[in-house]
Amino acid sequence: SLALVDARGLEASRHQVRETMLADLRGLLDAVLPALPPGRADALALALLHVLKGVGQVPQGEPHERARLDEYRRLLRAYLQAS
């Protein structure tokens, strides 16, 4: 589904998938970080979606795949803890 978020053409489907993913991320953030100020989950969800698209670009089976994914994990953990 991350590939569809950036796909060319199929604008209605792309927009629907993007909005669904953002709504799901907002729901997760609201559940995990209930003290977020109003509207903050929207910005966090959008930032997370962009990071997740980067994670999806890590080539599978490459020598440094594990290290890159660990770095994304640390980045996300630090970002969410700071929020």
Side-chain angles (χ1 to χ4, degrees):
S1 17
L2 286 172
L4 185 55
V5 169
D6 281 338
R8 302 285 182 221
L10 303 172
E11 291 303 315
S13 296
R14 186 176 84 78
H15 181 73
Q16 182 179 2
V17 168
R18 179 183 172 86
E19 291 306 311
T20 299
M21 290 183 80
L22 286 171
D24 289 347
L25 287 169
R26 280 190 300 269
L28 287 170
L29 289 166
D30 286 337
V32 173
L33 302 169
L36 284 176
R40 180 84 170 119
D42 292 337
L44 285 171
L46 186 56
L48 287 175
L49 179 60
H50 286 285
V51 171
L52 291 173
K53 289 189 317 188
V55 170
Q57 297 300 314
V58 174
Q60 291 184 347
E62 70 135 34
H64 303 288
E65 174 187 10
R66 177 79 179 204
R68 288 183 187 189
L69 294 175
D70 286 343
E71 199 60 34
Y72 273 116
R73 197 173 294 112
R74 282 191 289 277
L75 173 101
L76 287 171
R77 185 175 291 123
Y79 182 63
L80 292 173
Q81 287 175 345
S83 298

